[in-house]
Amino acid sequence: MRTSRVLAVAAVGLATATVAVATPALTSPGFTQSAASVLGRQSFVAAAIRRAGPAVVTIDTERTVQSAASGGLPPGLLNDPIFRQFFGIPQQMPPSRRTERGQGSGVILQADGLVLTNAHVVEQSDRVTVSLENGRRYEGRVVGLDRLTDLAVVRLVGTGPWPVAPLGNSDALQVGDWAIAVGNPFGLDNTVTLGIISSLNRNASKLGITDKRLELIQTDAAINPGNSGGPLLNADGEVVGINTLVRSGPGAGLGFAIPINRARTIVRELVATGRATHPMIGVGLDEVRGGDGVNPSRGAVVVSVQPGGPAERGGLRAGDVIVAAQGTAVKDPSQVITAVERAGVGGTLDLTVNRRGAMVNLRLIPGDMALMRQG
């Protein structure tokens, strides 16, 4: 607050009168106590971090990479005895080995030592070490990981009890809600950034990520390398997302997190079976390229149908345009994928398609992606 002076000037002919109004001093005891009682000495962020912070962990990984010591020469030349003799290359060259190290973040979900993180943090690791906020380090064993949702579960090796972060409800999020990102970017432990929920249900394919099946929370809370796998908290200190990636460019970067409600389902499957199931109907989809008065201007065009798959068995044909799924209008292929995911393996998926100007209603039963690909 700045001190101010109010001047009242009245003109009567050539005469002026000035009245000065004094403001209360900034050191007034009453003013100080009032500000402290209204604003508080600490923000809601500090309270949220006290609640969830002890359960945020650093994950260090190691893996050994072995490769033939070819020196960049084609294998065919190395196998040629005349070439080896001319250049003095020995018959057997020892393979080279190197250790690759990585680092990410995670959060403890259960008191028995289950840690949730990103699949890309621990994938192909030979050794996983988990460090707690108090500085203690423990071995971690990967229970299971799912590349399609970029989620993994690690179990701490040791005796608890462990600090646990409370889980929130990501379905209750609204654009504009507070968002607190916690993690270890660039190896800087226990880093906290604040922002808001910028958008919801961002499909990964819209970000150019075609090998994931995700609807992401978008936030402007800073997420940097090393934050991967750490929690996104709401104002109450509850985990509502798992930080997974960032898109940078001119201006502020955009961060994305996996909704915790989606993660709960994946965690249960990984703990129970070591793998996650994903529904699939066996089609290739593309965007509608504009209406011609007969065909729709919005929807998802079926460009291919897997022989013997759920789509073919349900009557879907190449050239059909999916205009509604589960009774909701479809704008693009990502909405069809979302509808399939929500229907689940063995569930029912009701589609409305435009087939050369005629509306056709179909019912499909999604299958397990892993089993369909094996077949």
Side-chain angles (χ1 to χ4, degrees):
M1 181 176 181
R2 296 176 300 174
T3 56
S4 61
R5 178 177 298 169
V6 180
L7 299 180
V9 180
V12 181
L14 296 178
T16 63
T18 302
V19 179
V21 180
T23 59
L26 290 179
T27 56
S28 168
F31 176 83
T32 303
Q33 292 173 4
S34 176
S37 63
V38 173
L39 300 178
R41 293 184 179 275
Q42 292 182 333
S43 71
F44 67 91
V45 180
I49 297 305
R50 283 196 301 271
R51 189 178 184 193
V56 180
V57 299
T58 302
I59 299 178
D60 293 289
T61 61
E62 294 182 10
R63 70 167 181 159
T64 301
V65 179
Q66 184 169 315
S67 59
S70 64
L73 296 174
L77 286 177
L78 292 174
N79 292 331
D80 188 332
I82 298 177
F83 179 86
R84 291 200 309 270
Q85 182 179 8
F86 183 81
F87 287 99
I89 300 175
Q91 179 74 22
Q92 297 292 334
M93 297 183 65
S96 62
R97 300 179 65 183
R98 70 180 189 277
T99 299
E100 291 185 349
R101 292 179 173 84
Q103 189 176 79
S105 304
V107 59
I108 304 176
L109 296 181
Q110 295 180 186
D112 60 354
L114 279 186
V115 177
L116 179 59
T117 185
N118 286 146
H120 73 260
V121 171
V122 297
E123 188 174 14
Q124 297 181 343
S125 296
D126 299 321
R127 183 181 181 185
V128 175
T129 304
V130 180
S131 302
L132 274 61
E133 184 187 49
N134 58 17
R136 294 185 177 180
R137 294 166 62 86
Y138 299 89
E139 179 187 352
R141 293 178 181 170
V142 178
V143 175
L145 59 85
D146 181 50
R147 295 179 181 87
L148 204 61
T149 57
D150 195 26
L151 290 169
V153 176
V154 174
R155 186 177 295 279
L156 295 172
V157 179
T159 57
W162 313 97
V164 177
L167 303 186
N169 179 12
S170 54
D171 290 340
L173 291 175
Q174 299 182 47
V175 174
D177 285 350
W178 290 111
I180 307 167
V182 190
N184 311 293
F186 307 109
L188 303 174
D189 295 350
N190 305 315
T191 296
V192 179
T193 56
L194 176 66
I196 62 169
I197 302 297
S198 303
S199 186
L200 298 168
N201 303 318
R202 288 291 192 203
N203 195 277
S205 62
K206 294 290 186 180
L207 303 173
I209 303 171
T210 58
D211 62 339
K212 307 295 179 191
R213 186 182 285 188
L214 289 169
E215 285 185 331
L216 299 167
I217 301 167
Q218 179 181 321
T219 178
D220 65 352
I223 297 175
N224 296 292
N227 268 122
S228 292
L232 186 71
L233 309 178
N234 61 16
D236 295 322
E238 298 171 330
V239 180
V240 292
I242 299 298
N243 302 323
T244 187
L245 63 93
V246 63
R247 282 288 181 266
S248 300
L254 297 175
F256 298 90
I258 304 164
I260 194 62
N261 287 8
R262 181 77 175 105
R264 289 178 199 256
T265 303
I266 301 299
V267 168
R268 284 195 294 268
E269 291 187 280
L270 292 178
V271 171
T273 66
R275 59 179 292 270
T277 59
H278 295 283
M280 184 178 181
I281 59 174
V283 294
L285 301 175
D286 196 4
E287 295 182 356
V288 173
R289 302 303 179 184
D292 55 9
V294 177
N295 294 312
S297 58
R298 305 177 84 176
V301 181
V302 179
V303 296
S304 63
V305 178
Q306 179 180 339
E312 185 182 66
R313 292 196 299 268
L316 202 60
R317 304 176 187 173
D320 287 347
V321 179
I322 302 174
V323 295
Q326 308 291 54
T328 301
V330 168
K331 298 179 181 179
D332 53 49
S334 67
Q335 291 185 300
V336 178
I337 296 173
T338 299
V340 173
E341 191 72 37
R342 291 178 176 175
V345 175
T348 57
L349 177 67
D350 293 323
L351 300 178
T352 301
V353 304
N354 184 307
R355 183 174 291 167
R356 299 181 179 178
M359 292 297 178
V360 180
N361 294 319
L362 303 172
R363 173 162 288 184
L364 280 59
I365 309 297
D368 187 347
M369 179 183 294
L371 297 179
M372 292 175 63
R373 287 180 173 175
Q374 290 175 3

